[in-house]
């Protein structure tokens, strides 16, 4: 077999294989190890020289499924608490398959009115879900990092404009460094976006009043005055080590007073807006100039899914439109070419899985899921506080509990090393995944349960496994 044309009448066969593998794989997820290192040996079977004569689709996909269903990290199951990783709701996953089936060229309305209209609809639904003004512009991106690139490119265009330069046409040459101010809660992806945009990742200044990185508003206020407001403020809604957030409203006040640009990183934290229990954290986001969020984290949409929203819809086309043709889609315009509004040109119809999951579960379903996670992580916090050998290090916030293993008799100076070794042992064990990080100079665990399948039993197992492995390690 060498030519795909020979398979035109059996093109559905390899898809049927995937569909047949799906139910047993999904049914097995709750019971299997998150990762089984013994299965890594299978990865060799992916390897080998480029075939001259191919295997044909059925054999190739059979092989991929055989290796994949075993050797994958089963992070879409209920016990992957490392980083901030969601799973994929049944509707979102099927929507993603449909996206591949339909394979739309989704940058241009002329190539796919379906993809364009779906993107317009889901952006409207998402604004409503997050309490953002309907007048905001937006575009779907592959990730929050690319949503930062999108929002901060708009900020850069605005900032250069205040220096009399059209950065889209002229670039940054001759301009001073763009001041970007944030708190100690800032995520590395913000620096990466600044690096990509040619602004430099180390030009960001943090204003922190304590070791936890909480914002020093007075110092930022002074710095803003020094640059006459020609600066970008990055507010962080949901930080990855403790779930802490900046006071968005206070930063919006600063931005307003100085005429600065306010960018909000709500990668997962924007989902706080879905529950009255946490909505106060998101207060002020509606005053931002640009806002970033992720679909592939707390929304449980498959990778790659991110959202960028901007107060002035025109700013997207100024930063990304072609050759000076600033393009303002009208509120009822159905003919939007989204490649004019973001960094990508050709792109997949990433609106479809979002559409499917919002259609399937609605606002109430998402609120229920977010509130279940709030309960699950509070439960985890309670278990940590009750365990004599675990120490909760920060109040439980949003979807994160930050703690460390601290058995009696281990001196403080040995705790970092012990927790780092425990982190390694936990990943090698594979029953439950959680990673270590650094908080106020300490090595800590900071599990973030945001998978739609996760329940209290899953975080109970995390505590059991950590204490069991810890007891085996401690002197
Ligand atoms: C994950 C994350 C990002 C980056 O998101 P990607 O989708 O991985 O690019 C940015 N900010 C915060 C707070 C995050 O948790």
């Amino acid at each position: 077999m060498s030519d795909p044309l020979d398979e035109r009448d059996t093109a559905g066969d390899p898809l049927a294989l995937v569909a047949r593998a799906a139910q047993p794989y999904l049914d097995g997820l709750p019971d299997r190890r998150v990762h089984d290192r013994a299965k890594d040996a299978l990865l060799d079977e992916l390897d080998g020289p480029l075939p001259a004569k191919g295997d044909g689709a059925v054999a190739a996909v059979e092989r991929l499924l055989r290796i994949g269903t075993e050797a994958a990290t089963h992070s879409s199951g209920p016990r992957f608490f490392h980083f901030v990783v969601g799973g994929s709701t049944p509707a979102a996953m099927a929507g993603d398959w449909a996206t591949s089936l339909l394979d739309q060229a989704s940058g241009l309305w002329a190539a796919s009115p379906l993809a364009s209209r779906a993107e317009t609809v889901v952006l409207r639904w998402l604004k409503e879900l997050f309490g953002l003004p309907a007048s905001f512009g937006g575009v779907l991106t592959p990730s929050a990092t690319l949503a930062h690139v999108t929002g901060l490119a708009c900020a850069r265009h605005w900032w250069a404009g205040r220096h009399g330069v059209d950065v889209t046409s002229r670039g940054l040459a001759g301009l001073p460094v763009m001041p970007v101010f944030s708190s100690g809660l800032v995520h590395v992806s913000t620096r990466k976006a600044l690096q990509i945009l040619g602004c430099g990742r180390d030009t960001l200044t943090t204003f922190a009043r304590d070791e936890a990185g909480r914002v020093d508003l007075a110092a930022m206020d002074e710095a803003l005055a020094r640059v006459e407001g020609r600066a970008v403020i990055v507010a962080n809604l949901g930080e990855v080590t403790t779930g802490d957030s900046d006071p968005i409203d206070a930063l919006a006040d600063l931005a307003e007073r100085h005429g600065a640009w306010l960018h909000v990183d709500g990668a997962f934290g924007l989902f706080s807006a879905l529950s009255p229990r946490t909505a106060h954290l998101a207060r002020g986001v509606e005053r931002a100039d640009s806002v970033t969020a992720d679909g592939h984290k707390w929304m449980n949409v498959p990778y790659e899914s991110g959202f960028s929203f901007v107060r002035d819809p025109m700013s997207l086309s100024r930063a990304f439109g072609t050759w000076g043709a600033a393009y303002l889609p009208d509120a009822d315009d159905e003919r939007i070419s989204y490649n004019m509004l973001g960094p990508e040109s050709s792109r997949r119809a990433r609106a479809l899985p979002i559409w499917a999951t919002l259609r399937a579960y609605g606002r109430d379903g998402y609120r229920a899921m977010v509130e279940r996670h709030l309960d699950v992580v509070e439960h985890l916090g309670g278990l940590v506080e009750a365990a004599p050998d675990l120490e909760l290090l920060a109040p439980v916030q949003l979807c994160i509990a930050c703690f460390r293993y601290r058995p009696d008799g281990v001196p403080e100076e040995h705790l970092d090393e012990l927790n780092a070794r425990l982190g390694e042992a936990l990943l090698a064990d594979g029953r439950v995944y959680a990673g270590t990080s650094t908080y106020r100079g300490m090595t800590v665990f900071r599990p973030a349960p945001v998978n739609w399948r996760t329940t209290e039993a899953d975080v109970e197992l995390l505590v059991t496994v950590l204490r069991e492995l810890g007891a085996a390690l401690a002197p």
Side-chain angles (χ1 to χ4, degrees):
M1 181 73 59
S2 336
D3 188 337
L5 188 63
D6 298 337
E7 296 195 342
R8 75 191 132 182
D9 298 329
T10 54
D13 290 1
L15 289 177
L17 281 181
V18 181
R20 265 205 305 282
Q23 195 65 49
Y25 181 72
L26 295 172
D27 287 348
L29 274 177
D31 301 317
R32 60 200 305 173
R33 279 173 199 274
V34 176
H35 186 84
D36 183 350
R37 288 190 181 171
K39 299 285 169 61
D40 288 353
L42 276 169
L43 301 182
D44 288 341
E45 297 187 35
L46 285 175
D47 217 328
L50 169 69
K53 190 169 154 50
D55 299 339
V58 165
V61 171
E62 249 165 9
R63 189 184 183 85
L64 181 60
L65 286 169
R66 183 170 53 75
I67 301 168
T69 53
E70 291 303 320
T73 303
H74 307 298
S75 46
S76 60
R79 291 189 304 278
F80 188 96
F81 307 138
H82 205 349
F83 311 107
V84 185
V85 169
S88 182
T89 65
M93 187 175 290
D96 200 61
W97 285 19
T99 306
S100 291
L101 177 69
L102 301 173
D103 191 26
Q104 300 291 281
S106 309
L108 295 161
W109 178 84
S112 177
L114 166 75
S116 168
R117 183 67 180 273
E119 186 152 348
T120 303
V121 171
V122 303
L123 286 165
R124 197 180 73 233
W125 286 354
L126 289 168
K127 282 183 273 184
E128 200 179 319
L129 189 70
F130 297 133
L132 293 172
S135 58
F136 271 33
V139 66
L140 299 179
T141 62
S143 64
T145 302
L146 267 292
H148 283 334
V149 168
T150 306
L152 292 171
C154 295
R156 185 182 64 162
H157 187 278
W158 161 86
W159 169 82
R162 292 201 57 186
H163 288 272
V165 171
D166 174 1
V167 76
T168 303
S169 127
R170 308 285 311 206
L172 288 164
L175 283 164
V177 165
M178 179 170 87
V180 183
F181 299 155
S182 192
S183 72
L185 306 187
V186 68
H187 190 263
V188 287
S189 61
T190 294
R191 292 183 188 274
K192 184 169 186 177
L194 291 169
Q195 165 187 343
I196 294 168
L197 288 166
C199 297
R201 69 172 176 226
D202 295 332
T203 59
L204 184 143
T205 310
T206 56
F207 297 88
R209 66 170 199 271
D210 62 19
E211 257 193 317
R214 285 180 299 171
V215 67
D216 183 340
L217 287 169
M220 193 187 285
D221 192 12
E222 279 170 29
L224 283 164
R226 279 199 296 277
V227 296
E228 294 163 351
R230 293 191 287 197
V232 177
I233 301 173
V234 176
N236 306 287
L237 176 51
E239 184 271 341
V240 291
T241 309
T242 65
D244 200 5
S245 296
D246 289 323
I248 314 286
D249 238 345
L251 289 170
D253 288 342
L254 274 188
E256 206 169 279
R257 198 156 69 243
H258 292 280
W261 182 282
L262 179 65
H263 175 79
V264 175
D265 178 359
F268 64 91
L270 194 53
F271 287 79
S272 61
L274 273 64
S275 167
R277 286 160 57 182
T278 45
H280 59 279
L281 298 170
R283 205 171 300 133
V285 172
E286 71 287 351
R287 299 167 64 194
D289 295 288
S290 51
V291 180
T292 285
D294 255 326
H296 52 222
K297 290 181 179 171
W298 215 341
M299 192 160 205
N300 282 257
V301 169
Y303 293 97
E304 302 159 341
S305 186
F307 326 129
S308 172
F309 302 102
V310 289
R311 160 176 305 283
D312 174 6
M314 268 298 257
S315 62
L316 290 171
S317 59
R318 284 191 206 105
F320 297 107
T322 40
W323 296 277
Y327 165 62
L328 176 60
D330 180 273
D332 324 307
D333 195 348
E334 288 170 13
R335 304 184 168 209
I336 301 175
S337 288
Y338 278 94
N339 70 358
M340 302 276 272
L341 304 182
E344 297 170 285
S345 295
S346 299
R347 56 213 281 277
R348 68 196 262 105
R350 63 172 57 92
L352 304 187
I354 304 168
W355 185 91
T357 200
L358 287 174
R359 189 81 220 171
Y361 313 113
R363 181 206 301 276
D364 291 351
Y366 269 93
R367 174 175 165 183
M369 183 184 72
V370 164
E371 293 189 338
R372 180 165 61 255
H373 293 140
L374 297 176
D375 290 341
V376 161
V377 80
E378 267 172 33
H379 181 62
L380 173 58
L383 294 173
V384 166
E385 283 191 302
D389 47 1
L390 296 176
E391 180 188 19
L392 192 67
L393 293 167
V396 167
Q397 292 172 93
L398 284 174
C399 54
I400 299 180
C402 177
F403 62 90
R404 65 178 172 172
Y405 184 57
R406 188 181 192 175
D408 272 349
V410 178
E412 178 67 40
E413 63 271 24
H414 292 164
L415 285 173
D416 286 344
E417 201 239 324
L418 176 61
N419 278 274
R421 282 199 294 140
L422 181 54
E424 283 299 311
L426 184 71
L427 300 187
D429 178 86
R431 278 176 286 172
V432 195
Y433 251 49
T436 52
S437 183
T438 305
Y439 175 62
R440 291 173 29 219
M442 296 173 279
T443 300
V444 301
F445 289 89
R446 34 74 59 215
V450 291
N451 187 291
W452 64 276
R453 292 173 179 270
T454 300
T455 62
E456 293 186 351
D458 299 302
V459 294
E460 285 165 8
L461 186 66
L462 171 66
V463 170
T464 306
V465 172
L466 271 178
R467 297 183 65 198
E468 175 193 309
L469 298 172
L473 281 181

